[in-house]
């Protein structure tokens, strides 16, 4: 049995806004195992990024708890949390907005070392940063350059270096390739996989691009409107999704085959409901072609289907419904 690195239990996160309360994360429980890549997928606005930040304690949950390597983050003091933060890092979606334009590349990457009081010797610190820059594909002589002098792919490599400079155990990758060209996406994904193999990293990979998710992840967690719909091994979810929403997401993936026309696929209809006033019961029911009266009356609980698979649906898909 793989070792558990992080476990979230019944997480809720609400934001009070004019007109009501936004339920961004609603009763989410998940487990991250050491050395794996767990992909968090769903439409834009479903709460993926908020959940990632709650797991890192960058945003405090409204209720529930996060246990990291046996420690409940809600019980830690500021000093204790500071030491834990060295072991949890994040790669942001926008490779330019996440870099301070007033700092050089070297200053950006070495800043975490200075904040945590590591490597006080300036020459040693610079040598360490230059070695890391070389490893992630940035020439060490660019140490004094500014972020605007780099391409999008190079900026994301800088963001990766900043996340890895403290040698963390967990890295939350918040759509790290969505702003990049397809060819550059492949380079960054390969780099992330190589670094994971070298350092034993654990990734929470947030994305709406299911082709990317299938390539990089071992397990998938599907979210809709703040709730987890389905979890399971990547290949199993891709070949036989249990939740209707998972199947619609897969059908929406662009196909390179010109013979496969749009009308030959089932595409999700309607708009995502408002998180201020989500539907009763199952939050997906207003867009689900299989919804029944019970779906409006009760919220489905996650049910274990064996082999690492779980789904929150009263009417999970059968083999016949995939044909």
């Amino acid at each position: 049995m793989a070792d558990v690195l992080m476990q979230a239990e019944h997480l809720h996160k609400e934001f009070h806004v004019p007109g009501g309360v936004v339920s961004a994360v609603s009763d989410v429980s998940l487990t991250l195992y050491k050395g794996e890549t767990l992909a968090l997928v769903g439409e834009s606005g479903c709460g993926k990024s908020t959940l990632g930040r709650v797991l890192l304690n960058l945003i405090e949950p409204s209720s529930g708890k996060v246990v990291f390597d046996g420690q409940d983050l809600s019980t830690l003091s500021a000093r204790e949390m500071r030491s834990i933060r060295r072991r949890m890092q994040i790669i942001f979606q926008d490779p330019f907005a996440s870099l301070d334009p007033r700092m050089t590349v070297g200053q950006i990457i070495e800043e975490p070392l200075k904040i945590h009081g590591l490597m006080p010797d300036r020459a040693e610190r610079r040598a360490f940063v230059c070695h890391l820059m070389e490893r992630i594909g940035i020439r060490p002589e660019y140490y004094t350059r500014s972020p605007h002098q780099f391409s999008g792919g190079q900026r994301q490599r800088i963001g990766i270096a900043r996340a890895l400079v403290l040698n963390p155990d967990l890295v939350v990758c918040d759509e790290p390739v969505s702003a990049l060209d397809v060819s550059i996406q492949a380079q960054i994904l390969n780099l992330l996989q190589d670094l994971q193999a070298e350092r034993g990293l654990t990734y929470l990979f947030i994305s709406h691009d299911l082709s990317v998710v299938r390539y990089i992840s071992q397990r998938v967690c599907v979210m809709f409107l703040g709730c987890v719909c389905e979890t399971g091994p990547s290949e199993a979810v891709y070949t036989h999704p249990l939740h209707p929403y998972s199947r619609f997401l897969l059908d929406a993936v662009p196909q390179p085959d010109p013979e496969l026309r749009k009308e030959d696929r089932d595409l999700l209809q309607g708009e995502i409901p408002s998180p201020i006033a989500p539907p009763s019961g199952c939050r997906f029911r207003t867009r689900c072609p299989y919804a029944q009266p019970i779906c409006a009356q009760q919220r489905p609980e996650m049910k274990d289907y064996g082999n690492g698979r779980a789904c929150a649906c009263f009417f999970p898909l059968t083999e016949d419904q995939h044909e």
Side-chain angles (χ1 to χ4, degrees):
M1 191 68 180
D3 295 330
V4 174
L5 178 64
M6 174 178 278
Q7 195 161 20
E9 300 178 11
H10 304 291
L11 285 180
H12 291 263
K13 182 58 187 177
E14 297 177 341
F15 296 97
H16 293 268
V17 299
V21 177
V22 174
S23 179
V25 176
S26 181
D27 196 25
V28 169
S29 298
L30 57 83
T31 301
L32 264 168
Y33 298 101
K34 292 181 179 179
E36 76 162 345
T37 299
L38 172 64
L40 193 60
V41 302
E43 292 174 280
S44 296
C46 72
K48 305 186 299 296
S49 295
T50 300
L51 177 57
R53 284 159 171 75
V54 169
L55 291 174
L56 295 179
N57 206 31
L58 297 176
I59 302 175
E60 291 188 5
S62 301
S63 63
K65 67 177 182 178
V66 178
V67 179
F68 180 80
D69 204 14
Q71 294 182 284
D72 184 349
L73 299 186
S74 65
T75 65
L76 300 181
S77 65
R79 181 181 293 272
E80 291 170 329
M81 191 64 220
R82 184 184 180 92
S83 64
I84 288 292
R85 290 202 184 282
R86 289 172 52 182
R87 302 178 60 191
M88 304 187 301
Q89 295 294 312
I90 184 170
I91 301 169
F92 294 97
Q93 178 178 358
D94 190 329
F96 189 69
S98 62
L99 304 179
D100 191 334
R102 299 167 298 180
M103 301 174 69
T104 67
V105 169
Q107 291 172 333
I108 289 171
I109 298 175
E110 71 177 20
E111 186 180 26
L113 297 172
K114 297 168 71 174
I115 290 174
H116 288 277
L118 304 175
M119 295 187 185
D121 182 76
R122 184 176 180 180
E124 179 189 6
R125 190 168 63 240
R126 175 162 182 161
F128 180 79
V129 169
C130 287
H131 175 74
L132 181 58
M133 289 174 61
E134 191 170 20
R135 174 61 192 89
I136 56 96
I138 300 294
R139 297 170 64 175
E141 53 264 37
Y142 294 165
Y143 184 94
T144 57
R145 288 194 177 186
S146 299
H148 74 271
Q149 296 177 282
F150 293 88
S151 67
Q154 288 175 318
R155 291 173 195 150
Q156 197 59 289
R157 290 174 185 268
I158 295 167
I160 292 172
R162 179 178 57 186
L164 297 184
V165 71
L166 294 175
N167 196 27
D169 298 305
L170 169 66
V171 180
V172 173
C173 306
D174 188 4
E175 305 216 32
V177 297
S178 63
L180 306 177
D181 294 337
V182 174
S183 60
I184 305 301
Q185 286 184 13
Q187 295 176 17
I188 297 299
L189 292 174
N190 289 334
L191 174 62
L192 289 172
Q193 288 186 319
D194 291 343
L195 292 169
Q196 183 178 44
E198 291 174 11
R199 297 169 175 246
L201 297 169
T202 302
Y203 291 144
L204 177 67
F205 194 91
I206 299 172
S207 179
H208 61 268
D209 189 334
L210 294 181
S211 59
V212 168
V213 166
R214 189 172 192 174
Y215 177 74
I216 198 170
S217 66
Q218 288 82 53
R219 288 194 304 130
V220 174
C221 176
V222 183
M223 284 188 72
F224 178 80
L225 205 62
C227 299
V228 172
C229 300
E230 179 176 355
T231 60
S234 300
E235 199 58 33
V237 173
Y238 271 81
T239 56
H240 182 196
L242 295 174
H243 199 282
Y245 179 60
S246 302
R247 197 200 74 181
F248 281 114
L249 281 180
L250 291 169
D251 282 344
V253 175
Q255 299 292 334
D257 186 355
E259 298 299 322
L260 187 60
R261 299 172 300 172
K262 181 178 179 180
E263 53 266 31
D264 293 329
R265 295 180 283 153
D266 287 329
L267 300 181
L268 190 58
Q269 303 298 317
E271 297 294 330
I272 187 169
S274 170
I276 297 179
S280 61
C282 176
R283 294 190 173 184
F284 183 62
R285 67 175 177 82
T286 57
R287 305 175 76 187
C288 180
Y290 310 108
Q292 301 293 327
I294 190 176
C295 301
Q297 299 163 6
Q298 300 179 29
R299 178 172 174 176
E301 300 292 332
M302 290 293 288
K303 181 180 178 181
D304 188 354
Y305 287 86
N307 298 318
R309 306 204 62 184
C311 176
C313 183
F314 292 116
F315 306 100
L317 299 177
T318 63
E319 290 286 355
D320 292 339
Q321 290 171 305
H322 288 283
E323 297 178 354

